[in-house]
Amino acid sequence: MNIVLLGCPGAGKGTQAAVLCEKYGLAHISTGELFRSEIASKSPLGLKVEGFVNKGNLVPDEVVVEIVAGKLESLESGWLLDGFPRTLRQAEELDRYLATSGKRIDFVLLLSVSEEVVIKRLAGRGREDDSDATVRKRLMVFRDLTQPLAAYYRGHGLLQEFDGAPSEDQVSSALTVFLEESAAKSGS
Ligand code: AMP
């Protein structure tokens, strides 16, 4: 099973990604986590992306696409992409890559939450890029560049939207019920 998890900053992608990956044995590919660890270790990639990440801007598409393609290349098992794609161009490049490697996305799960809830959640998180101004910037970037992906994947018949506002457990059980019902349908 190959999954793309979409949602604005603070929608709960990281938490839900961890639950689903554990439950279904998927490889968790989080571009945000990857960048944070490269920045912390001051690697050449970390130095290259630090300015973008800390200001709440997106890392250039070509940098991210190359990294994700490299990760997917080495995987035999199913995977879950958390925080990628984030632009239409990334989504198109991902589709091109998957087509050439004979793989596909099975589900795109969108976690929807209001900006009010997000601002409250992120205020308590304390990550380097969670300051007020950066959160606002990241939400703006999401609205302008990432939100259009919902329509893209809806058009491909892959999108399923979930309310991300309830508790973590409630959201995970909604996701799990959906995935299990879909698996049961496709198996019958
Ligand atoms: P996240 O942990 O997913 O919220 O990502 C944190 C930051 O990493 C984002 O605000 C971006 O600066 C950068 N980033 C993560 N994923 C991507 C992506 N797919 N494209 C561009 N930048 C990204």
Side-chain angles (χ1 to χ4, degrees):
M1 181 158 65
N2 297 327
I3 295 177
V4 168
L5 193 56
L6 289 180
C8 66
K13 292 191 303 293
T15 308
Q16 298 304 331
V19 172
L20 296 179
C21 288
E22 162 85 27
K23 195 168 173 74
Y24 299 110
L26 307 173
H28 182 185
I29 301 176
S30 161
T31 43
E33 280 298 328
L34 189 141
F35 290 141
R36 280 187 288 282
S37 95
E38 297 286 335
I39 291 169
S41 67
K42 301 193 187 313
S43 70
L45 175 63
L47 296 175
K48 186 163 159 182
V49 303
E50 186 170 25
F52 298 102
V53 173
N54 289 346
K55 288 198 187 76
N57 289 315
L58 293 186
V59 171
D61 288 333
E62 58 279 10
V63 175
V64 193
V65 167
E66 194 185 323
I67 290 169
V68 174
K71 293 253 164 212
L72 293 180
E73 195 66 50
S74 63
L75 286 176
E76 295 293 330
S77 66
W79 36 259
L80 182 147
L81 296 177
D82 161 11
F84 178 93
R86 243 174 162 108
T87 64
L88 215 43
R89 176 157 167 233
Q90 290 179 16
E92 288 166 352
E93 297 271 343
L94 174 63
D95 280 349
R96 254 195 294 281
Y97 165 78
L98 293 175
T100 57
S101 57
K103 297 176 186 165
R104 69 189 170 104
I105 298 167
D106 296 298
F107 303 105
V108 177
L109 311 175
L110 169 64
L111 298 178
S112 294
V113 281
S114 68
E115 291 203 4
E116 229 182 316
V117 170
V118 165
I119 288 173
K120 260 195 219 135
R121 280 188 186 168
L122 297 187
R125 201 158 77 169
R127 221 168 72 181
E128 180 76 22
D129 58 348
D130 281 346
S131 72
D132 231 34
T134 313
V135 165
R136 279 174 212 289
K137 172 79 193 177
R138 285 162 59 214
L139 286 170
M140 208 167 77
V141 166
F142 176 80
R143 253 196 325 263
D144 293 347
L145 299 173
T146 311
Q147 187 71 45
L149 293 185
Y152 177 82
Y153 285 122
R154 193 175 289 115
H156 287 67
L158 291 172
L159 190 82
Q160 192 68 29
E161 188 168 355
F162 296 85
D163 181 5
S167 72
E168 288 172 12
D169 286 351
Q170 282 168 303
V171 177
S172 342
S173 62
L175 293 169
T176 307
V177 165
F178 166 75
L179 291 172
E180 293 189 358
E181 282 179 1
S182 306
K185 268 187 223 149
S186 68
S188 62

